[in-house]
Amino acid sequence: NAGVTQTPKFQVLKTGQSMTLQCAQDMNHEYMSWYRQDPGMGLRLIHYSVGAGITDQGEVPNGYNVSRSTTEDFPLRLLSAAPSQTSVYFCASSYSPLAGGRQFFGPGTRLTVL
Amino acid sequence: KQEVTQIPAALSVPEGENLVLNCSFTDSAIYNLQWFRQDPGKGLTSLLLIQSSQREQTSGRLNASLDKSSGRSTLYIAASQPGDSATYLCAVTLGGQGGKLIFGQGTELSVKP
């Protein structure tokens, strides 16, 4: 199993550009989520999904969109990048967090917005 | 609002020492607690998960305990090695938002040879 994979590993954007961060998992997990990690703020939930076709907002959703057309993939879209979105983005998956499922994290995407 | 605190923020120990990392949380209504390891520039690796009904979990040289009533968890690392150097994060799982994790700020551990 590859686990949770994320692409790209690094990205530099200019203010106003859009892009999609890719996340895929091969563990047949229903639950997937996106976090951002910032110094002094820790990890915060952006969006999550409890299954294909179902998504919802987390703690800091503004400026981001998600969709879940398959169980495996959960892309995160930045609509119009802003310097405040400079961060490290992690995707995570779990078979059932509330039933004791561990959450597995990808290696992260390091994004800089100029 | 659930808050998770980890003390100390940084810890440096000589190789071979046993050590304890602390995690506290303000609301005992959690589903479980996880300890993660994060190496510089890398993702998070799940080390141990303790269900809310459990008191402890063990994996190799690692032992994690949970006291829900007092809002505390500890991660015990036995016979520390330089390869244990990393940031250790604890996180509690809440019922809302499908299983949202609330993270502490982490303890940065350095084990000196």
Side-chain angles (χ1 to χ4, degrees):
Chain A
N1 284 354
V4 180
T5 58
Q6 292 184 238
T7 56
K9 286 187 168 53
F10 302 93
Q11 183 70 48
V12 178
L13 291 178
K14 294 181 180 177
T15 297
Q17 288 184 315
S18 62
M19 78 159 294
T20 298
L21 280 62
Q22 301 291 345
C23 173
Q25 51 90 12
D26 61 358
M27 297 173 280
N28 203 32
H29 286 167
E30 291 295 328
Y31 182 84
M32 296 185 75
S33 57
W34 279 99
Y35 287 82
R36 60 178 289 174
Q37 185 176 35
D38 302 290
M41 301 295 291
L43 286 115
R44 293 175 292 170
L45 181 66
I46 304 171
H47 284 286
Y48 69 97
S49 169
V50 297
I54 307 169
T55 64
D56 208 342
Q57 297 181 350
E59 188 181 348
V60 287
N62 292 343
Y64 308 95
N65 270 356
V66 291
S67 60
R68 184 96 179 269
S69 56
T70 67
T71 299
E72 294 79 20
D73 300 298
F74 190 43
L76 178 72
R77 296 183 186 82
L78 278 69
L79 309 173
S80 177
S84 61
Q85 293 179 305
T86 293
S87 186
V88 183
Y89 292 85
F90 291 103
C91 178
S93 77
S94 173
Y95 79 84
S96 180
L98 302 183
R102 288 194 186 194
Q103 299 215 32
F104 295 87
F105 281 74
T109 293
R110 283 145 187 83
L111 176 68
T112 301
V113 182
L114 303 175
Chain B
K1 180 185 173 186
Q2 177 74 268
E3 292 184 0
V4 179
T5 303
Q6 291 186 247
I7 295 173
L11 182 63
S12 182
V13 300
E15 181 177 5
E17 196 161 292
N18 301 326
L19 59 99
V20 174
L21 306 182
N22 295 294
C23 173
S24 62
F25 48 96
T26 54
D27 187 343
S28 62
I30 63 170
Y31 277 76
N32 54 58
L33 183 145
Q34 275 188 259
W35 282 93
F36 292 91
R37 170 186 172 137
Q38 185 175 28
D39 293 285
K42 304 291 186 184
L44 282 70
T45 300
S46 177
L47 298 172
L48 290 164
L49 181 146
I50 312 176
Q51 300 286 10
S52 62
S53 59
Q54 295 176 322
R55 298 284 294 183
E56 65 178 320
Q57 282 287 330
T58 298
S59 176
R61 293 183 294 109
L62 305 180
N63 176 276
S65 69
L66 174 65
D67 184 342
K68 251 185 60 170
S69 60
S70 67
R72 294 178 189 274
S73 176
T74 61
L75 179 67
Y76 175 82
I77 302 177
S80 59
Q81 303 169 358
D84 294 330
S85 298
T87 296
Y88 291 81
L89 296 154
C90 74
V92 297
T93 299
L94 303 184
Q97 297 181 317
K100 172 182 176 179
L101 289 168
I102 301 293
F103 284 87
Q105 295 286 337
T107 294
E108 186 176 355
L109 174 65
S110 175
V111 182
K112 306 292 187 185

